[in-house]
Amino acid sequence: MSNQKVRVRFAPSPTGPLHMGGVRTALFNYLFAKRNGGDFLLRIEDTDQTRYVPGAEDYIMKSLEWCGIVVDEGIREGGDCGPYRQSERKALYRKYADELIASGNAYYAFDTAEELDAKRAAFEAKKETFTYNSQTRGEMNNSISLSAEEVEGKIAAGEQYVVRFKMPDNHEVKEEDMIRGWVSFNTDQLDDKVLFKSDGMPTYHLANVVDDHLMGISHVIRGEEWLPSMPLHVLLYQSLGWGETMPRFAHLPLILKPVGKGKLSKRDGDKMGFPVFPLEWTDPKSGELSSGYREDGYFAEAFVNMLAFLGWNPGTEQELFSMDELIESFSLDRVGKSGSKFDPDKTKWYNHQYLMTKDDAELAVLLLDILKEKGIESTPEKAAIVCGMLKERVDFVSEIYEQGAFFFQAPESYDAKAVKKRWKEGVPEIMSEILEFLKGVDNWEAAPLKEVFSPFVTEKGWGFGVVMNAFRLSLVGAAAGPDLFDICAFLGKEEVLLRIENAINNIKR
Ligand code: GLU
């Protein structure tokens, strides 16, 4: 086993958009594979056709691609162990269900939905819960309670059936989880799970185990919600004679809501003010739109970096990790057992960190897209200058636009609060004098401009704050923004003079 090549898989069911917990599972699998020189497979588990959602597969692949998680084998990439979509593997599962029946580890069950309901109701009436297991299977309609002839007759007559796993009686299943250590389960707490249905489709449990075996999977890394399935899976490997090559298991801790109790769910997202999906998603049935990290302006690197820290930590102070650094440092030993709280503010912090490391020119491309959308023309050079001036103050490129729109458009209105505070009596007169003074200034770079402007203000005996605030209000329309002389240099003399004139004429106190 230890010499076996590391092969892991991400095995989502295409029942909707991939939620960030799913992306984290994919990421941890990917990091583990790449750290260990192994393969990362993408297998689509679509045996439950009733839950199939069109577009989900494509969404999953696009999400992984956006995050930089590269699939080695999968429905698009192909590979030696294909097909990688379970519905296309349908024909191969039957054989294993038959093997399990032949070896006495599984049996046919003919119980109808009505019969099962009646049984459940009868148990409820006794204030008990019905479990299909060693205690009850003898009274049910199955190949354990019926004779061989009866069973053959029913199958020949085309009666619907399922194949159930025959859970051994009072048996201890012990297995080592790479994150949790040894975990043990008593089979009396488990039920006879359905493995196969008469429509020819396996259930998740059978298909998952068979495929992990046939695809040479060495490690199963998945969410904690699958921990209760581990004993059944272990027993299936053993019953199918694959105990020796069984993969090792690692169940990742839950991702918890930022506030309150419990697991972060798909429904939390927009309600709590942050996306839970990597990319935007429109529900094909309801048309409802859910926000995505990408469209909300997060950088994929920031999203991935944040996800990596949901359950894992490097054991050092370092918080910023590129994908390559994550691969370099990742180990399941440093994944904790307890759930980790999702922190939307920290996610913004990550975005801010990545935004600051980007070139102004790179950010300018994104800013120009936003400007174009708003119908504002500019140049890559100008956009880059603005990005350089504002990037330290924002978490998103969209905020560069929000805070810096005045660079591209003269203010159409003036912030009322700022006007009240900063456009006091006497200010229009001061600004008129400043206008005249500036007309005579030729060197319009930020530093020389400041050098002549400051002595002028001092000489006039005006309060420096009063002047600067009014000046800013004239150019920006508000009481915010970067260094005023940088703004002047960017706008150019003509535009600055125009804006001061507009302010004098238009600001009404
Ligand atoms: N299809 C399962 C899911 O949707 C896979 C669980 C596993 O990795 O075994 O999460």
Side-chain angles (χ1 to χ4, degrees), residues 9-15 25 29 43-46 86 204 208 212 220-223 225-226 233:
R9 82 312 190 262
F10 177 52
S13 300
T15 55
T25 300
N29 272 283
R43 183 173 71 225
I44 299 294
E45 301 209 325
D46 59 348
Q86 288 185 327
Y204 155 71
N208 185 271
D212 281 348
V220 167
I221 304 169
R222 59 186 175 192
E225 64 273 27
W226 299 103
H233 294 184

Side-chain angles (χ1 to χ4, degrees), residues 162-178:
V162 296
V163 175
R164 284 184 183 270
F165 186 69
K166 190 175 170 198
M167 193 50 82
D169 207 2
N170 190 18
H171 174 76
E172 212 58 29
V173 181
K174 266 187 91 181
E175 186 55 39
E176 193 181 10
D177 182 281
M178 293 173 77

Side-chain angles (χ1 to χ4, degrees), residues 349-411:
W349 178 86
Y350 275 114
N351 214 57
H352 175 71
Q353 300 301 319
Y354 281 91
L355 191 140
M356 285 204 299
T357 63
K358 302 258 178 208
D359 279 350
D360 296 346
E362 207 179 333
L363 296 172
V365 174
L366 303 171
L367 180 60
L368 281 172
D369 281 346
I370 298 176
L371 290 172
K372 207 166 143 197
E373 234 173 71
K374 309 275 178 193
I376 300 170
E377 298 248 345
S378 188
T379 62
E381 294 72 30
K382 284 191 169 179
I385 296 173
V386 172
C387 290
M389 275 193 254
L390 294 180
K391 68 181 177 184
E392 287 195 12
R393 303 159 170 251
V394 299
D395 297 331
F396 301 98
V397 176
S398 60
E399 292 175 341
I400 298 184
Y401 169 72
E402 285 158 20
Q403 295 189 18
F406 68 86
F407 280 114
F408 307 98
Q409 269 181 327

